[in-house]
Amino acid sequence: MPRRLLINAACLTLPLLSDALSLTGLLKRSRNRARGRRVLEDFSTPWQLDIRKGSTGVLYAEEAGAQKPVNWAFLSCGRVAHDYANALRCVDGAKPYVVATRSADDLPRAEAFRDRHGFEKAVGTYSEALLDPNVDVVYLSSLHSARVEHVTAILECGKHCVVEKPLACNGADGRRLVELARSKNVFMMEGMWTRCFPAVEHARRLINDGTIGAVTAVISDFGFDAADSGVYPTDMNDPSTGDPIYFSKLGGSALLWA
């Protein structure tokens, strides 16, 4: 029997929009959605991961009518991967299975990541993780400049994947990856986590239902502490002297990084 995925994403709750949108209410709605199950059998056409449609919740693999945990592979074990691994603890049915680094020289980092987050094993190359038949879905958080190469490898191995944003550094590469995922009939998602906020869901519902009338302007501000991104380069021509966010050749910049 072909393997099927039941995909539901865990949601963070932010009581930001109105008095009616209380934290208690948000948590209750999130729990109610998590009880639902949606079976994905065909990934060849676009599928909206929109929590307004009840299409998010707990992640399971289903084989021969029996549910089993979904084995996750992590490619790269940098800072953001730690955040994702911590969040994965809250997702029913998700099992931290294997973490991989780019080369055997970095294997001690993967082993430390494995021990910290409870992964079953650590390996010294991405290919070793991708060729493991027990891997159900891959989480990728490698450097932006290598995303196309790594996502292509994941899809060519027939693995489902969640890719840290950005999926690619330009639209043309992004479209090619989408077409490849469709041709392989596998699930691929860019990790745009704000889309899963119940607060964002509620705002979109208010707009779609006409509750607040026609939207004529949107005023938005976004900022973050760049000091948290690492060392500012001492030489803008040498990426080894600072954090990748400051180097366009590595896919840096506020637009692609934040």
Side-chain angles (χ1 to χ4, degrees):
M1 182 177 183
R3 176 172 297 176
R4 299 178 296 172
L5 286 183
L6 295 159
I7 295 193
N8 281 311
C11 299
L12 297 179
T13 55
L14 297 179
L16 299 177
L17 296 178
S18 69
D19 292 338
L21 203 62
S22 67
L23 179 58
T24 301
L26 284 170
L27 289 172
K28 181 178 180 180
R29 282 190 285 274
S30 181
R31 285 194 298 269
N32 288 339
R33 290 191 188 94
R35 296 191 183 102
R37 296 289 186 269
R38 167 153 181 156
V39 178
L40 299 185
E41 297 180 344
D42 183 4
F43 296 92
S44 61
T45 56
W47 183 69
Q48 292 292 331
L49 276 180
D50 192 332
I51 55 179
R52 293 176 304 162
K53 300 177 181 178
S55 52
T56 57
V58 185
L59 178 63
Y60 284 102
E62 187 176 281
E63 275 186 328
Q67 290 182 344
K68 74 175 188 65
V70 169
N71 288 331
W72 282 77
F74 274 44
L75 303 191
S76 184
C77 50
R79 181 182 57 188
V80 70
H82 285 282
D83 295 338
Y84 198 89
N86 285 330
L88 207 59
R89 296 173 184 269
C90 302
V91 180
D92 292 341
K95 178 182 178 180
Y97 175 65
V98 59
V99 56
T101 57
R102 289 176 295 174
S103 68
D105 292 340
D106 284 336
L107 183 56
R109 291 180 61 237
E111 291 172 337
F113 190 97
R114 174 201 63 197
D115 296 342
R116 179 173 179 177
H117 295 290
F119 280 72
E120 186 171 311
K121 61 181 181 176
V123 296
T125 64
Y126 289 172
S127 60
E128 187 174 349
L130 293 179
L131 293 174
D132 188 326
N134 294 316
V135 170
D136 295 306
V137 58
V138 177
Y139 167 73
L140 175 69
S141 59
S142 59
L143 278 176
H144 298 178
S145 55
R147 289 281 164 84
V148 172
E149 174 191 353
H150 295 153
V151 176
T152 299
I154 294 168
L155 298 177
E156 290 289 358
C157 287
K159 303 293 187 183
H160 307 290
C161 61
V162 176
V163 184
E164 269 300 332
K165 59 182 183 354
L167 175 67
C169 292
N170 60 69
D173 284 343
R175 285 189 290 271
R176 281 193 288 269
L177 293 176
V178 169
E179 290 305 316
L180 179 58
R182 290 176 182 169
S183 70
K184 297 293 182 179
N185 199 33
V186 295
F187 176 86
M188 176 181 71
M189 178 181 180
E190 183 181 49
M192 190 60 68
W193 55 295
T194 49
R195 175 150 191 178
C196 296
F197 282 4
V200 173
E201 169 196 13
H202 186 69
R204 292 169 64 190
R205 183 183 292 115
L206 291 175
I207 294 171
N208 291 345
D209 293 347
T211 304
I212 62 175
V215 177
T216 59
V218 175
I219 300 174
S220 177
D221 293 300
F222 177 79
F224 72 104
D225 183 2
D228 184 53
S229 298
V231 178
Y232 191 82
T234 57
D235 182 352
M236 294 304 296
N237 295 313
D238 182 1
S240 67
T241 66
D243 194 89
I245 190 175
Y246 299 108
F247 294 93
S248 59
K249 66 176 66 176
L250 297 181
S253 77
L255 179 62
L256 292 179
W257 211 270

